[in-house]
Amino acid sequence: MAAIGDLPVRSDGSRRVLILEDQPDLAALFTLQLQALGWSVDQVCTEAEVLEAASSRPPDAIIIDTLVPATTGQPLVERIRTGLAGRPCRLIISTIYEPSDFAGVDVDAVLALPHHRAALEYALLA
């Protein structure tokens, strides 16, 4: 796991997060919270879009909704990690399930919904 301090800071001092979320209200909530924490945000709605974005313009962190249609936890995480080609990026699962359900998944954090902004910040920085 790379600590946030190990991630490169962009020339403008910002950090960028990519959100895979197909629910507009939840995507908007994440965006507001992340922007308040100083992150720039890109949002995608499908597995294909997150894989393309992660490989072509790697973010500092990716928040993955495991309930997006046609996605599955561990195989999607493995495909994202492969697309990142070893570049540092925190992978965070956003879920309504128990965090323990993802014990064997190669992610940096599991964010249980509903969440508080402090939990989101911790997932990004831990």
Side-chain angles (χ1 to χ4, degrees):
M1 261 190 272
I4 199 73
D6 298 335
L7 297 176
V9 176
R10 300 183 191 294
S11 59
D12 64 0
S14 70
R15 300 203 193 274
R16 192 171 64 80
V17 64
L18 176 62
I19 303 169
L20 170 60
E21 176 58 63
D22 64 334
Q23 298 295 318
D25 291 345
L26 191 51
L29 175 63
F30 272 123
T31 298
L32 288 172
Q33 291 176 326
L34 290 160
Q35 288 173 340
L37 294 169
W39 290 72
S40 59
V41 180
D42 293 323
Q43 192 238 336
V44 295
C45 298
T46 68
E47 180 176 328
E49 290 172 329
V50 75
L51 293 171
E52 170 61 28
S55 63
S56 66
R57 189 170 169 235
D60 299 300
I62 301 173
I63 298 174
I64 305 160
D65 173 10
T66 58
L67 294 179
V68 169
T71 65
T72 55
Q74 182 65 30
L76 174 58
V77 168
E78 290 172 1
R79 288 190 292 276
I80 290 171
R81 291 248 187 241
T82 299
L84 290 167
R87 287 171 271 195
C89 179
R90 291 189 62 77
L91 296 185
I92 301 164
I93 286 183
S94 166
T95 185
I96 60 170
Y97 298 112
E98 290 295 320
S100 60
D101 292 344
F102 299 92
V105 180
D106 183 21
V107 293
D108 298 291
V110 177
L111 186 62
L113 297 175
H115 71 277
H116 295 279
R117 190 173 94 178
L120 175 60
E121 185 173 21
Y122 182 79
L124 289 165
L125 301 178

